[in-house]
Amino acid sequence: MREGVRIGQIIDGEDLLDLFLCHGAKDVASDAPETGGIGILSIGNRVEADGKAGVESCSLSAERCIVRVCIALLIAWSVFSLQIVHASPTKTILVLGDSLSQGFGLTPSEAYPMLLAKKLRAAGLNFQVTNVSAAGGTTKGALERLPAHLKRKIDIFIVELGINDAFRGVPVDQIQNNLQQIIDKVKARNPRVRVVIAGMQLPNYATDDYVSAFGKMFADLAAKNGAALVPYLLQSVAGDPSMNLSDGIHPNADGQKILAETVWHVLEPIARQIAVIPSASEGPR
């Protein structure tokens, strides 16, 4: 009987490949003499063996090539499968705001929420950004619209509301209460959600109690809810004609790029933290 080959005798991949090919060959004679290792057994007489040596060598080389290709494909598929298994699941960001977040007068791709989506992809962060902002949106209107958007998981919630309420003279306490209810409802459905509050300021036509109370409201909400705060969304944009549409109120495409940078400074570290922890949707629903 042929002497077995132990694992310790296989020096490298070439020996393993020879073992596979030789022991798998169909023309190996069962009564061939031992060669003291992985050897080529005689087939018939010496003359026939010599005559076929060249052909067998070519056949063996071809078989080696095929096996190498198969092994390479298996390794590549294994690596690809592992990448799929270990790939982080897509996290979600919901943006709830008014015309500033909707991108009034612009295409959706020019509004800062979609610019943030591009920044997230460029940073290698797997997030889907959903922008449900509406022109003319108020805190009361957003509170009514919110339930329809709570059916999906939310990992990061960006809320940008309140300025339209202020223009209508809604009491600051009522605006703050509506925003708190919005945050509470989002947290009730997504216990581990991270909240980002985009703060706003009223034009300093008068430094009365309403103006100061409105500006302070966003910081108070952020502190109460453990939320991240963008102190002033329109920083470096408000009042600059080159950054706004002809109405002087809504940011143009260049202005929206500034808004994206302003929010990105606050959002990026949060997104990087969220990207490596279980999704908020895994909490109780």
Side-chain angles (χ1 to χ4, degrees):
M1 295 293 293
R2 171 179 308 117
E3 182 178 341
V5 179
R6 297 189 303 273
I7 294 299
Q9 293 175 296
I10 299 176
I11 299 175
D12 55 26
E14 291 293 329
D15 292 328
L16 181 60
L17 189 58
D18 287 342
L19 177 64
F20 173 80
L21 293 174
C22 291
H23 284 263
K26 294 181 179 180
D27 58 351
V28 175
S30 61
D31 59 348
E34 298 178 358
T35 61
I38 303 175
I40 303 298
L41 302 180
S42 300
I43 303 174
N45 57 49
R46 187 73 177 180
V47 174
E48 290 177 342
D50 290 339
K52 295 179 180 180
V55 176
E56 291 174 349
S57 177
C58 291
S59 175
L60 186 60
S61 296
E63 289 174 351
R64 283 179 176 174
C65 183
I66 293 172
V67 171
R68 286 195 183 101
V69 171
C70 292
I71 291 174
L73 289 174
L74 286 172
I75 292 174
W77 174 250
S78 298
V79 172
F80 178 73
S81 299
L82 286 172
Q83 289 175 341
I84 293 177
V85 170
H86 294 290
S88 59
T90 300
K91 304 299 178 71
T92 61
I93 297 176
L94 180 69
V95 183
L96 181 65
D98 50 39
S99 57
L100 298 176
S101 297
Q102 180 222 22
F104 178 83
L106 306 172
T107 64
S109 63
E110 292 176 304
Y112 80 83
M114 293 302 102
L115 298 179
L116 290 175
K118 292 180 180 179
K119 286 181 174 294
L120 289 162
R121 286 195 296 271
L125 300 172
N126 191 13
F127 280 85
Q128 176 183 346
V129 179
T130 301
N131 185 12
V132 296
S133 303
T138 62
T139 56
K140 180 182 178 181
L143 192 56
E144 295 171 351
R145 295 191 296 113
L146 182 61
H149 304 296
L150 294 180
K151 298 175 183 179
R152 70 192 79 186
K153 71 185 180 83
I154 305 172
D155 294 287
I156 299 177
F157 176 54
I158 300 176
V159 57
E160 176 274 308
L161 289 163
I163 193 66
N164 286 327
D165 298 70
F167 287 154
R168 289 168 171 78
V170 177
V172 173
D173 288 346
Q174 184 176 333
I175 300 173
Q176 184 167 348
N177 181 61
N178 288 344
L179 286 171
Q180 186 61 58
Q181 288 188 63
I182 289 171
I183 294 171
D184 289 344
K185 288 181 180 295
V186 172
K187 284 187 171 182
R189 294 283 293 178
N190 303 272
R192 287 178 288 177
V193 68
R194 297 290 297 274
V195 178
V196 177
I197 297 175
M200 285 295 297
Q201 296 176 10
L202 285 170
N204 290 323
Y205 297 136
T207 56
D208 57 21
D209 292 342
Y210 188 95
V211 172
S212 60
F214 180 81
K216 184 174 178 291
M217 173 187 69
F218 299 100
D220 291 344
L221 280 168
K224 180 178 179 179
N225 293 280
L229 176 66
V230 177
Y232 185 32
L233 178 65
L234 295 180
Q235 184 68 42
S236 302
V237 173
D240 185 344
S242 68
M243 294 293 170
N244 290 277
L245 298 176
S246 58
D247 62 13
I249 298 174
H250 297 96
N252 57 25
D254 289 335
Q256 285 285 344
K257 292 176 183 178
I258 302 285
L259 267 59
E261 290 293 338
T262 299
V263 177
W264 179 246
H265 289 312
V266 176
L267 176 64
E268 181 186 12
I270 298 173
R272 292 192 182 279
Q273 292 173 8
I274 292 292
V276 297
I277 65 175
S279 174
S281 65
E282 295 177 14
R285 305 292 286 179

